[in-house]
Structure formats: structure tokens, C-alpha cells
Amino acid sequence: MIICNLNTCWTSLLVLSLVILFAMSSDAGEKYVSVDFEVFGNVQGVCFRMYTEEEGKKLGVTGWVKNTRQGTVVGQVQGPPEKVKEMKYWLSKVGSPSSRIHRAEFTNERDISKLEIRGFGTRY
């Protein structure tokens, strides 16, 4: 049995409550990044969307990917900054095995406090 005086118990309870509240606040939690992308080159008809979805899931980021009528691939990626950075590298330098990436543009990069997209998928 633990015996403490009332002031010590209340002080300990207050400190514990503050620690829990701080840990639950968005400022204490993990920060995320969101970025839009467009990939140019031979990126349609070469399973680029499928591989993008697979890579996103492998890295643990969320987002979407879609072909455009202009022959590019667009999408959005969200997740921890380091993982989004890895995905940006993959989109600009690696891609699907048969793709030929000329360039990738990244826009609208912003910090977000929570993920706005669930999972990673293809949009049509």
C-alpha cells in the first residue's frame, strides 16, 4: 500500500494529467506533409499507376494516383516527411520498370497535422 500526503498525490496526478494531455495534443504528435505531383514522360500504359500505388503502400504513405488526358500521371501523397521524401524520389527517378520519366513536378507542399486521405489508391 502506498501512502502519500494529499498535496503530493494531487501534484503527482496533475503532472501525470499534463503529460498525458501533452502527448495527445497535435503539437506533440507526429507532423505530416502533403504534396501534389505530376509525372511527365512515358508513364501511361506501363503500369505506372499500379506501381505507384504499390510503392505508396510499401512506404506507408497515403494518397492517390490518376492518369490524365495529357499523358501524364497526377496524384497526391501524404505522410511523415521522410517517407514523402522517399516517395518523391521514387516518382521522379525510379517509377515502374517500363516507364521513362522525363520530369516530376511537386506542388502544394504543406504541413498537415493529420492525414486527410485514407490508404493509397487509383482514381479514375
Side-chain angles (χ1 to χ4, degrees):
M1 181 167 145
I2 298 175
I3 300 175
C4 61
N5 69 39
L6 191 57
N7 285 340
T8 303
C9 287
W10 280 111
T11 302
S12 297
L13 183 59
L14 178 62
V15 169
L16 180 60
S17 297
L18 289 173
V19 167
I20 291 171
L21 284 174
F22 180 74
M24 291 173 57
S25 75
S26 62
D27 290 343
E30 187 170 10
K31 295 292 184 185
Y32 299 104
V33 173
S34 177
V35 66
D36 298 338
F37 65 86
E38 185 166 12
V39 184
F40 299 81
N42 183 23
V43 291
Q44 287 190 10
V46 291
C47 299
F48 195 88
R49 286 179 302 155
M50 181 184 72
Y51 278 90
T52 300
E53 190 175 330
E54 184 179 293
E55 186 68 15
K57 290 175 180 177
K58 183 177 105 181
L59 289 173
V61 294
T62 65
W64 57 271
V65 60
K66 175 182 176 178
N67 283 342
T68 69
R69 292 181 184 201
Q70 294 74 33
T72 64
V73 173
V74 297
Q76 187 175 72
V77 177
Q78 295 183 350
E82 193 56 40
K83 296 297 182 182
V84 170
K85 183 178 176 182
E86 289 180 51
M87 188 68 182
K88 286 169 67 174
Y89 177 84
W90 186 91
L91 288 164
S92 61
K93 305 291 184 200
V94 180
S96 65
S98 299
S99 66
R100 297 293 173 259
I101 300 167
H102 294 153
R103 76 180 191 280
E105 293 179 359
F106 300 97
T107 57
N108 254 356
E109 188 157 345
R110 60 193 171 91
D111 293 332
I112 55 176
S113 60
K114 63 180 181 175
L115 298 175
E116 302 164 337
I117 301 170
R118 191 175 196 161
F120 204 107
T122 297
R123 292 190 180 173
Y124 297 95

